[in-house]
Amino acid sequence: RVGEDTYAAKLVKEAKAVDSSEQSEMIRSINAIVKWVGILIIPLALIMLYQSLFINQTGFGGAVKSMVAAVIGLIPEGLYLLTTISLVASTMRLARKQVVLHDMKSVEKLARVDVLCIDKTGTITENSMSVQDYIATAAFGKSPDAGIRLDSLIARVTNELAGDNDTMEALQAYFTKEQANGLILKKKSLQPFKSSNKYSGVIYDGFSYLIGAPQILLGDDWSTYEEEINHYAAQGYRVLAFGKLTSEQVEPLAAPITPYAFILISNPIRQEAPETFAYFGRQDVAIKVISGDDPVTVSHVAGKAQIKGAENYVDARTLVTDDMVKEASRTYTVFGRVTPELKRQLVLALQGDGHTVAMTGDGVNDVLALKAADCSIAMASGSDAALNASQIVLVDSNFASMPSVVAEGRRTVNNIERSASLFLIKNIFSFLLAILSIIFAITYPLKASQISLISAFMIGLPSYLLTLEANNKRISGHFMLKVLKNALPAAVAAVAAIGLLVGAAVFFQIDYNQTSTVSTFLLSIIGFMALVRLSRPLTKSKVAIIAVSILAFIISAALLKNIFELSHVTLDVFLLGLVFFLVGESIYRNLSTFFDFIANKGWRRFKWFRR
């Protein structure tokens, strides 16, 4: 078959039908924030303008200034830029480590992964294969071909086939053309290797020689040789059966072959594999080894790589129903004799159980599973189809790069999550304060320039600097819920403190300029308290960033008070502000404790959050 009719082309075409345009949870959440802000701004602005003009009668200039201050507070300016810079910086750092991203969402997905599906060859073991030995069977000595040198016969058959995969290259390197020179056989046609049947061979006049998976080629005779083959497989060898079929019908097999030899192939374990899998074990990331090889062999190799649960293996050919696949995905660690379609089914079954699944692969047979996985990783030494289907490519084909890729994803998501929380404090605060202003017909207590001062030094400067900080904390939970959990206590506390201040200002007839100045400091102090809380655990560099931000705020407020419209505050008003700060601080502390309690218990236990 050629062109679109080839097996590889059909797999790629099916993989392309899978929708890969879905955005990551983080980007969806940020888009949702911006969308709702965009929806709320216009009606809120018009209502505030109407109230200022016709109810408070502040005049057109005052009405516009009040409305603009509220609108600016609602806009999460800089959040998209911060997210973009974080992702670009992450991409550049990964590129220096020989990792290329095809899809930006893969950074976040990999940071959230709790199940990693891998192949044996190229991941646990080196890509190189080598034939270690071949064992002649008793059946060969009794066959009509017993007078032929066995190695010459194997060499003649293997060198008729295309050396287009690692296995065949290893066979042709061991059984050379020179060994077959004295043996003349006239072939009729070839049976190319297919992952669906796991064998190949040469068809002659009235008979065929086949080489491939013993369990499949031996058919009903498997039980006769099972103990011997499993003995070799338990030593870590990949065992191939070579034998004769007295028929030209090879697909499907007309009968079991007469086995002439068992060929032992080995792949050396990657030196860094045990350490890499130990890292994922410490991170509570389950490993699933999904391979087309014999499950006993794969289990032994996985055990040598110190993969937890490697002794739990299953022959995937026994998984004939969807329910069996789902149960096996929960029970077993090693899956042998897996077809491309079954690889995808296993990935989908794990996702159906609520897992975030990453899949590694390097061959055409991995394409469907790579496209189905939440995050797909390919080795650069693999096929073009696998490279194009994956989101992440390991340029040096070194699986040991994976821990650093996971760490980079965690740093990016955790830092953006913290920054988004800071932005949302201001947004929620502005929205709630605008609603209070409308309900109680009061002038919005903050000015646009004061909002800019807070945005610059409470949010902007620390957010960008903290983005560069390492943060390997494991990702869990929903991005939006975690951001709301972090932002709501500070926003509510600030609204309460400033709302009480505005009420006191009306009662004691404090002028608007002093009220707005104290409001600016109340919001900024509560905001800096939230920044400290979000930056835990504190390191020297984090303390330095927070100190620089606070110092920059104080210097700007002192030297540029005219620009930011900050006025002199009397002692009475200062003390009043201090009292309301203590009230706000208490509200913030208690609300934070309450939300942490809910988060630890699990958001989904509460019906409102499930909706």
Side-chain angles (χ1 to χ4, degrees), residues 375-428:
C375 181
S376 50
I377 304 110
M379 309 294 175
S381 58
S383 67
D384 289 345
L387 296 180
N388 290 329
S390 65
Q391 298 167 340
I392 297 174
V393 177
L394 305 181
V395 177
D396 56 1
S397 299
N398 187 355
F399 189 70
S401 304
M402 287 298 293
S404 61
V405 178
V406 172
E408 186 60 49
R410 290 181 177 180
R411 178 194 353 216
T412 302
V413 176
N414 280 323
N415 288 340
I416 292 176
E417 184 182 283
R418 176 174 51 206
S419 300
S421 299
L422 290 173
F423 279 97
L424 215 60
I425 290 171
K426 186 193 69 168
N427 303 146
I428 296 172

Side-chain angles (χ1 to χ4, degrees), residues 432-498:
L432 294 177
L433 197 58
I435 296 297
L436 283 177
S437 299
I438 293 169
I439 293 171
F440 294 104
I442 58 174
T443 303
Y444 194 79
L446 284 156
K447 301 175 183 178
S449 56
Q450 293 164 348
I451 294 289
S452 298
L453 174 67
I454 293 166
S455 297
F457 299 110
M458 188 199 88
I459 301 171
L461 180 61
S463 293
Y464 283 91
L465 293 178
L466 288 171
T467 299
L468 306 174
E469 282 286 300
N471 193 332
N472 291 327
K473 182 181 176 183
R474 185 180 175 186
I475 307 295
S476 61
H478 296 276
F479 182 88
M480 181 65 88
L481 289 179
K482 290 176 73 176
V483 168
L484 286 172
K485 177 185 79 74
N486 294 330
L488 267 174
V492 171
V495 168
I498 292 173

Side-chain angles (χ1 to χ4, degrees), residues 298-353:
V298 182
S299 174
H300 178 83
V301 171
K304 288 180 69 175
Q306 298 177 24
I307 293 175
K308 186 178 179 181
E311 69 279 2
N312 299 321
Y313 62 85
V314 64
D315 188 326
R317 292 174 302 164
T318 63
L319 309 177
V320 294
T321 66
D322 289 343
D323 288 339
M324 293 175 73
V325 171
K326 289 177 182 177
E327 184 58 33
S329 70
R330 302 179 186 123
T331 308
Y332 296 103
T333 299
V334 173
F335 300 82
R337 299 301 180 206
V338 183
T339 62
E341 178 55 38
L342 189 55
K343 284 186 181 183
R344 177 166 65 176
Q345 283 182 264
L346 284 167
V347 170
L348 294 174
L350 289 164
Q351 290 172 328
D353 278 344

Side-chain angles (χ1 to χ4, degrees), residues 442-570:
I442 58 174
T443 303
Y444 194 79
L446 284 156
K447 301 175 183 178
S449 56
Q450 293 164 348
I451 294 289
S452 298
L453 174 67
I454 293 166
S455 297
F457 299 110
M458 188 199 88
I459 301 171
L461 180 61
S463 293
Y464 283 91
L465 293 178
L466 288 171
T467 299
L468 306 174
E469 282 286 300
N471 193 332
N472 291 327
K473 182 181 176 183
R474 185 180 175 186
I475 307 295
S476 61
H478 296 276
F479 182 88
M480 181 65 88
L481 289 179
K482 290 176 73 176
V483 168
L484 286 172
K485 177 185 79 74
N486 294 330
L488 267 174
V492 171
V495 168
I498 292 173
L500 290 171
L501 175 67
V502 172
V506 173
F507 184 79
F508 293 113
Q509 296 185 336
I510 300 170
D511 70 85
Y512 176 74
N513 290 329
Q514 288 195 70
T515 303
S516 65
T517 300
V518 176
S519 297
T520 302
F521 283 101
L522 282 175
L523 176 56
S524 60
I525 293 170
I526 293 173
F528 281 122
M529 286 169 56
L531 175 60
V532 172
R533 185 181 180 88
L534 290 169
S535 300
R536 294 174 183 170
L538 295 173
T539 60
K540 289 182 179 179
S541 57
K542 288 179 181 177
V543 170
I545 289 170
I546 295 169
V548 167
S549 301
I550 293 173
L551 189 61
F553 177 86
I554 293 170
I555 292 171
S556 299
L559 300 181
L560 304 172
K561 60 181 182 180
N562 292 332
I563 292 176
F564 294 114
E565 300 183 77
L566 300 172
S567 64
H568 174 73
V569 176
T570 64

